[in-house]
Amino acid sequence: MNGLTELLKGALEGIVLQHIAQGETYGYEITKYLQDLGLEDIVEGTVYTVLLRLEKQGLLEVERRKSTLGPQRKFYSLNAAGQEYLTNFWARWDFLAGKMTQLRKA
Amino acid sequence: MNGLTELLKGALEGIVLQHIAQGETYGYEITKYLQDLGLEDIVEGTVYTVLLRLEKQGLLEVERRKSTLGPQRKFYSLNAAGQEYLTNFWARWDFLAGKMTQLRKA
DNA sequence: TCATGTACTTAGCAACACTAAGGAGTAGAC
DNA sequence: GTCTACTCCTTAGTGTTGCTAAGTACATGA
């Protein structure tokens, strides 16, 4: 999908957080998952910058563990703040999506 | 709604364009309309900057006309490029909204 | 005359997705 | 045993965009 970048702003944090909420995971896996979902615009570098930002905001628990296949992995999971952020994110998303629908059929 | 700003990025151009598509209008009216819709985060200054950007991108026809109530109004309507942009915008929106739904119930 | 409402412009800021470049580990092919 | 491919993460910098702030200007009514 072309020109998705700007639309992703603000949504991407929620997207990543939502995937982590479904079970502890790490950057490389998240990237693959989003690619498989069809969000091919979201590439590796982008995912990592989002993760670092979320981490700095204190929304994630982090643990480094060895991988069998390469360098260490940085495993992420949601903490309470992350869970709360995610709830608020979906509220914002639903709000906007509702308005968009209203606007469209106005 | 709190913290909507980032989510609006990329969506706002589409929102404004969609409203103009429903009939020739001007900045001040668009602002009021969005406020009434419940998008109270979107204030005057923001709408005008979006309009200028859309105009620069060549998506709008512009015509200045007198108002009975104040300074001249700058009336906008969509041209062909604007119409096409809007169609593509909704395609992008639907694509993303679909992925968000998938992700959420995964 | 002074406040209020209408109507637009411009300069500058902060957040965010993205790019580019690189380092470092493991496995398998040759 | 070296080379390639894949895995996995980091950092510095860029462009776009929504927002803020400050200002200009016209009209109406108190």
Side-chain angles (χ1 to χ4, degrees):
Chain A
M1 176 67 34
N2 229 29
L4 211 58
T5 296
E6 297 308 332
L7 220 39
L8 278 174
K9 286 191 180 172
L12 189 50
E13 290 195 358
I15 290 172
V16 168
L17 230 34
Q18 172 67 28
H19 184 54
I20 296 174
Q22 281 151 20
E24 194 195 45
T25 184
Y26 54 98
Y28 195 78
E29 190 280 335
I30 296 173
T31 306
K32 296 293 175 210
Y33 172 77
L34 295 176
Q35 301 277 323
D36 287 352
L37 228 190
L39 293 169
E40 288 157 20
D41 310 79
I42 306 176
V43 293
E44 234 185 322
T46 303
V47 172
Y48 286 112
T49 52
V50 171
L51 285 170
L52 291 176
R53 203 163 58 234
L54 292 172
E55 191 184 338
K56 259 178 212 156
Q57 286 172 32
L59 304 176
L60 298 174
E61 290 311 311
V62 189
E63 204 185 326
R64 272 176 195 281
R65 290 208 295 275
K66 279 177 194 160
S67 162
T68 43
L69 296 162
Q72 283 203 322
R73 290 172 179 162
K74 236 176 124 178
F75 282 91
Y76 291 99
S77 52
L78 291 207
N79 60 21
Q83 190 57 58
E84 193 189 335
Y85 180 100
L86 185 56
T87 302
N88 291 332
F89 167 76
W90 283 117
R92 288 199 296 276
W93 175 263
D94 288 338
F95 178 82
L96 180 61
K99 296 300 174 192
M100 295 299 280
T101 304
Q102 266 184 268
L103 175 73
R104 200 176 191 168
K105 48 182 193 205
Chain B
M1 176 69 31
N2 228 31
L4 211 59
T5 296
E6 295 308 329
L7 221 39
L8 278 173
K9 288 192 181 170
L12 190 49
E13 290 195 358
I15 290 172
V16 168
L17 230 35
Q18 172 66 28
H19 184 53
I20 296 174
Q22 281 150 20
E24 192 193 48
T25 185
Y26 55 98
Y28 195 77
E29 191 280 332
I30 296 172
T31 306
K32 297 292 176 208
Y33 172 77
L34 295 176
Q35 301 276 323
D36 287 351
L37 228 191
L39 293 169
E40 290 157 19
D41 309 79
I42 305 176
V43 294
E44 234 187 321
T46 304
V47 172
Y48 286 114
T49 51
V50 171
L51 285 170
L52 291 176
R53 205 162 57 231
L54 292 171
E55 191 184 339
K56 258 178 212 153
Q57 285 171 33
L59 305 176
L60 298 174
E61 289 312 311
V62 188
E63 204 185 327
R64 272 174 197 279
R65 290 208 295 274
K66 282 178 192 155
S67 161
T68 43
L69 296 163
Q72 284 203 321
R73 290 174 180 159
K74 238 178 123 177
F75 282 91
Y76 293 99
S77 53
L78 292 206
N79 60 22
Q83 190 58 61
E84 192 189 338
Y85 180 99
L86 185 56
T87 302
N88 290 333
F89 168 76
W90 283 118
R92 288 199 295 277
W93 175 263
D94 288 337
F95 177 82
L96 180 60
K99 295 300 174 192
M100 294 299 278
T101 303
Q102 267 184 266
L103 175 72
R104 199 176 192 167
K105 47 181 196 207

